[in-house]
Amino acid sequence: MQATTSRPRIALYWASGCGGCEIAFVNLHERLLELDARFEIFFCPCLVDTKRQDVEALPDGALALTLLDGAQRSDENVEMAQLLRRKSQLLVAYGSCAHEGCLPGLANLRPTASLLDTVYAGMSEPSRPRARAAVPQGELHLPTLLPRVLPLADVVDVDYVIPGCPPEPDTLWRALGQMFTEPPPPRGAVLGAGESAVCRECALRREDKTIVRLRRVHELIPEPTRCLLEQGILCMGPATRDGCGALCTRVGMPCIGCYGAPEGVPDQGAAMAGAVGSILDIEPLRDRSDKEIAAAVDATLDAVPDWAGSCYKFSLAASLLGGRRT
Amino acid sequence: MSAPVEGRAFEPRVLGLLCTHCAYACADNAGGTRASVPAGLRTIRLMCTGRVEPSLVLEAFGAGADGVLIMGCHPGGCHYKEQNYRAVQRQRILLRLLDQCGVEPERCRFDHVSAAESTRYLELVDDFVAALRRLGPLRLERRTRVHRPH
Ligand code: SF4
Ligand code: SF4
């Protein structure tokens, strides 16, 4: 890195993510010019050429801001998180993976060994990943998986969170504005989004109906103007933070929960269990025995094959249980 | 809740979430007759089982409970009309989440009693504690969360 500049330096780094958060960053479009006028993007493996060594050579706190996306899945992710924490004045959990583990976090429903057994099924030992392997050219070092996927805040101190999978560019832009205003938001705050639930900004009509039958998205063409949950589709709107503009329900798809739980709600899956349990039709339960009631509710719930995968699609790693008990 | 003492027989720690109109009245009566209850039972009185947010159950497990027993009025007997049905619906969904997360669904039980069933209340509690004894202690990995604003 030869160019020296007086602009504050920032970094954008991916841990175990998909690159979608980087796309969301680029989707700032012309606002990128404004960002570039104010900051120098010092480190970002998919945008600029600097390497880890260049970051290591910086004095501590030399980066004004790091947006760190992706889940904490491997020991290398943790090393990079610790390095960037040291070098950054502000470290932001950027996107759902860093915030709550997101889809990689669903791996927490299985023991890590069984994941490797599935992916490398039938392969003998030399073909499976090893932390150290001797090859003719020398010794190779590979990262090893953590016992479970962790949100960034379980690994290092995080100053702010930007939610979403990926965060909407408007969410990112608002968050950047908020973190550099005086006085700054309280440490740990979720920025750029709302504090309420997606239902608040959803335009679909609620009629306070009850759910008679749960259905999956491919099982019906929903009425375009009615609340999807009331039509039996497991829409995560009531258990998900607003701020995206209810983009998914606008095009007839249920919210799948990517902004995480609303402010102050400790567990997104539990919140969804509460919401759905509140509007399932109780008429068939009347005048039944305890056992019949439990069986009738269970029969209704069977329409959803994967409750944890549906209610914790984005937040399992950050849930109160964190995933499967090991 | 305090940590289990090593070397002693496992005494399950149970959180009872009791509706004031039935189960809590039973618990009160049982206390009046000096009936003995399992040592690990702690109860919280609620106006109705409809107040049981599923996250409360998870937080109880996180705080060291080996089991959570929710007790409300008999079907049709709820003082808030139908909230005990809703409570069962929430609990049944929660059981699916628990199961997939490796926590035995048997650790969160819903029972119905009336205020006049103190003896049955004691039997249900004993039965739950016996089931937990068979399951053994619930060992959860503790998660720390530094990013939540307080
Ligand atoms: S549940 Fe979904 S469809 Fe219904 S109001 Fe909420 S966000 Fe909209
Ligand atoms: S509607 Fe839900 S899933 Fe869709 S972008 Fe918004 S928060 Fe994410």
Side-chain angles (χ1 to χ4, degrees), chain B residues 41-53:
Chain B
L41 176 69
R42 301 285 180 280
T43 60
I44 294 180
R45 173 186 174 206
L46 307 167
M47 288 313 286
C48 177
T49 52
R51 294 305 312 265
V52 180
E53 274 289 325

Side-chain angles (χ1 to χ4, degrees), chain A:
Chain A
M1 197 70 203
Q2 296 96 27
T4 51
T5 130
S6 53
R7 286 171 298 162
R9 290 167 156 178
I10 63 172
L12 174 61
Y13 183 72
W14 44 23
S16 290
C18 69
C21 286
E22 280 69 20
I23 306 272
F25 182 82
V26 175
N27 275 349
L28 287 172
H29 295 308
E30 57 272 26
R31 287 175 290 197
L32 272 180
L33 298 175
E34 219 176 299
L35 192 84
D36 184 62
R38 221 176 127 190
F39 298 102
E40 177 200 348
I41 300 175
F42 177 81
F43 178 61
C44 175
C46 69
L47 288 177
V48 296
D49 268 345
T50 41
K51 304 287 183 233
R52 172 175 172 164
Q53 292 84 318
D54 301 306
V55 178
E56 282 166 343
L58 292 173
D60 286 356
L63 297 168
L65 162 71
T66 291
L67 299 176
L68 211 165
D69 60 86
Q72 294 293 306
R73 164 81 283 190
S74 71
D75 53 1
E76 191 243 356
N77 295 152
V78 174
E79 268 173 41
M80 286 304 291
Q82 289 168 340
L83 172 66
L84 287 162
R85 171 68 281 182
R86 266 203 315 283
K87 302 299 177 186
S88 312
Q89 283 156 40
L90 289 181
L91 181 72
V92 173
Y94 171 49
S96 175
C97 286
H99 179 200
E100 305 189 300
C102 195
L103 302 189
L106 287 176
N108 288 2
L109 289 172
R110 297 275 180 281
T112 300
S114 87
L115 298 175
L116 292 172
D117 288 343
T118 304
V119 173
Y120 296 97
M123 291 191 190
S124 56
E125 208 36 64
S127 306
R128 294 172 68 112
R130 283 161 293 160
R132 283 163 194 279
V135 292
Q137 292 81 2
E139 195 182 45
L140 286 179
H141 294 211
L142 281 179
T144 51
L145 300 185
L146 303 176
R148 44 167 62 189
V149 173
L150 300 173
L152 183 60
D154 282 10
V155 168
V156 290
D157 285 345
V158 162
D159 295 297
Y160 298 117
V161 173
I162 304 178
C165 178
E168 277 304 302
D170 285 342
T171 295
L172 169 60
W173 193 245
R174 266 196 305 271
L176 289 170
Q178 286 168 344
M179 67 183 81
F180 291 108
T181 48
E182 284 299 330
R187 208 158 159 277
V190 176
L191 301 183
E195 299 195 332
S196 180
V198 171
C199 295
R200 193 193 60 81
E201 53 184 1
C202 173
L204 301 186
R205 196 177 72 252
R206 277 159 300 234
E207 298 168 335
D208 283 332
K209 289 249 169 77
T210 52
I211 303 177
V212 175
R213 200 183 126 201
L214 287 164
R215 275 179 288 200
R216 301 174 72 193
V217 273
H218 61 270
E219 292 179 301
L220 86 163
I221 297 172
E223 291 172 44
T225 56
R226 274 186 63 207
C227 167
L228 297 164
L229 191 57
E230 289 180 2
Q231 297 185 64
I233 297 174
L234 211 56
C235 177
M236 287 289 291
T240 304
R241 184 183 289 269
D242 61 345
C244 65
L247 291 175
C248 298
T249 66
R250 228 192 270 175
V251 292
M253 291 301 285
C255 170
I256 49 176
C258 82
Y259 269 46
E263 189 69 30
V265 173
D267 188 283
Q268 194 178 21
M272 193 58 185
V276 175
S278 305
I279 67 164
L280 285 178
D281 187 20
I282 57 163
E283 291 314 317
L285 311 182
R286 291 198 194 276
D287 306 319
R288 296 294 173 90
S289 72
D290 307 11
K291 285 210 167 58
E292 286 168 344
I293 290 173
V297 176
D298 284 351
T300 305
L301 302 186
D302 283 343
V304 175
D306 181 2
W307 280 90
S310 305
C311 298
Y312 286 125
K313 190 169 283 170
F314 296 88
S315 60
L316 184 72
S319 65
L320 287 171
L321 295 175
R324 195 171 180 84
R325 184 153 69 111
T326 44

Side-chain angles (χ1 to χ4, degrees), chain A residues 109 153-154 188 263 270 274 277-278 280-282 286 290 298 302 306-308 317-319 322-326, chain B residues 54-55 59 75 82 85-86 89-90 92-93 96-97 100-102 104 112 138-139 141 143-147 149:
Chain A
L109 289 172
D154 282 10
E263 189 69 30
S278 305
L280 285 178
D281 187 20
I282 57 163
R286 291 198 194 276
D290 307 11
D298 284 351
D302 283 343
D306 181 2
W307 280 90
S319 65
R324 195 171 180 84
R325 184 153 69 111
T326 44
Chain B
S55 62
E59 281 176 300
E82 56 207 30
Y85 293 120
R86 307 231 179 269
Q89 290 176 333
R90 296 185 191 110
R92 302 301 302 176
I93 301 173
R96 307 255 161 158
L97 302 180
Q100 285 186 271
C101 289
E104 300 86 349
H112 300 265
L138 172 66
R139 296 190 208 284
E141 243 175 83
R143 293 200 52 252
T144 53
R145 334 186 75 201
V146 292
H147 65 289

